[in-house]
């Protein structure tokens, strides 16, 4: 794939949250193309000295502990799905960190179960958002049901959300928010990876 993002000079670091049962397939498009656009991608775990294991059985050694992550040092915090989001409060600190980011005006992108974590934290009560299905979030008891949008992915200011079956749409919103692709190039990127549109390849590389 020879597509060139809008800019390839170094940009501010993007932080990818990692934890046990991390859903491997949900963020690959986003992180790969952010890196190609000049954003270093660093992983953030519960602790820097303890590896985590993804749903696919991969072991990841976090670059940074969550407690050491500051919004001012980041361009974006990405929260992926994980079984742990629905299995207790182990990942609640990541939702609280997302609150810090949003309050500081730094974007947060959440997909799959991470949207439920944000709902429990109250971060979806006043923002447009989406997830797997509306009743999945309703089960959290949150107050934002009227802001739920039944679509592939949603951007509302600094918050991006998507459901588990939409990693390409999620990446589209992330790449657009950080300016990796712009205008027709972003649309072509999406059509290429979501629809396998051969014409989009030519447009992306024009």
């Amino acid at each position: 794939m020879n597509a060139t993002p809008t800019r390839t000079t170094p940009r501010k670091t993007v932080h990818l949250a990692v934890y046990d049962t991390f859903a491997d397939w949900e963020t690959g498009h986003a992180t790969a193309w952010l890196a190609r656009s000049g954003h270093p991608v660093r992983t953030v775990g519960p602790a820097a000295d303890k590896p985590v294991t993804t749903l696919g059985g991969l072991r990841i050694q976090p670059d940074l502990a969550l407690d050491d992550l500051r919004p001012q040092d980041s361009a974006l915090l990405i929260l992926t799905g994980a079984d742990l989001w629905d299995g207790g409060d182990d990942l609640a600190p990541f939702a609280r960190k997302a609150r810090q980011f949003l309050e500081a005006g730094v974007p947060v992108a959440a997909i799959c179960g991470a949207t439920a974590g944000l709902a429990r934290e109250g971060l979806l009560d006043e923002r447009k958002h989406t997830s797997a299905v509306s009743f999945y979030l309703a089960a959290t008891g949150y107050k934002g049901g009227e802001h739920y949008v039944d679509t592939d992915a949603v951007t509302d200011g600094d918050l991006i959300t998507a459901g588990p079956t939409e990693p390409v749409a999620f990446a589209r919103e992330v790449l657009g928010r950080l300016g990796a692709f712009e205008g027709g190039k972003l649309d072509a990127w999406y059509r290429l990876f979501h629809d396998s549109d051969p014409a989009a390849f030519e447009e992306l590389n024009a």
Side-chain angles (χ1 to χ4, degrees):
M1 177 57 61
N2 296 318
T4 302
T6 301
R7 176 181 170 189
T8 57
T9 54
R11 292 179 168 186
K12 205 168 188 179
T13 299
V14 167
H15 290 92
L16 173 67
V18 295
Y19 21 71
D20 286 334
T21 70
F22 171 102
D24 308 62
W25 65 91
E26 292 179 344
T27 60
H29 287 287
T31 54
W33 289 92
L34 285 172
R36 293 193 69 172
S37 73
H39 284 284
V41 178
R42 299 290 178 264
T43 54
V44 181
D49 59 351
K50 183 179 179 181
V52 301
T53 303
T54 72
L55 280 175
L58 302 180
R59 287 171 59 82
I60 299 175
Q61 183 75 47
D63 296 311
L64 184 69
L66 183 65
D67 286 346
D68 295 328
L69 175 62
R70 304 186 307 166
Q72 60 264 39
D73 297 330
S74 185
L76 171 73
L77 174 62
I78 301 176
L79 300 173
T80 193
D83 290 347
L84 289 180
W85 283 112
D86 299 316
D89 296 327
D90 288 354
L91 300 187
F94 287 90
R96 291 194 291 271
K97 184 65 68 171
R99 176 180 292 280
Q100 293 177 19
F101 267 62
L102 292 172
E103 289 177 348
V106 182
V108 171
I111 185 170
C112 188
T115 62
L118 298 191
R120 295 185 188 97
E121 183 63 20
L123 297 176
L124 305 185
D125 288 350
E126 303 295 334
R127 296 177 173 91
K128 292 181 181 178
H129 60 276
T130 194
S131 185
V133 288
S134 60
F135 56 80
Y136 170 64
L137 292 185
T140 68
Y142 85 131
K143 301 176 182 179
E146 65 182 293
H147 300 294
Y148 186 89
V149 182
D150 189 12
T151 190
D152 55 7
V154 172
T155 297
D156 185 344
D158 290 326
L159 179 65
I160 296 167
T161 51
T165 61
E166 299 293 346
V168 181
F170 181 67
R172 177 195 65 209
E173 299 301 301
V174 168
L175 298 175
R177 181 64 179 77
L178 293 191
F181 290 107
E182 297 174 352
K185 293 280 189 179
L186 181 61
D187 177 68
W189 181 90
Y190 178 72
R191 287 188 288 111
L192 178 61
F193 286 97
H194 187 266
D195 303 328
S196 299
D197 182 353
F201 179 85
E202 299 299 329
E203 294 174 34
L204 197 55
N205 288 281

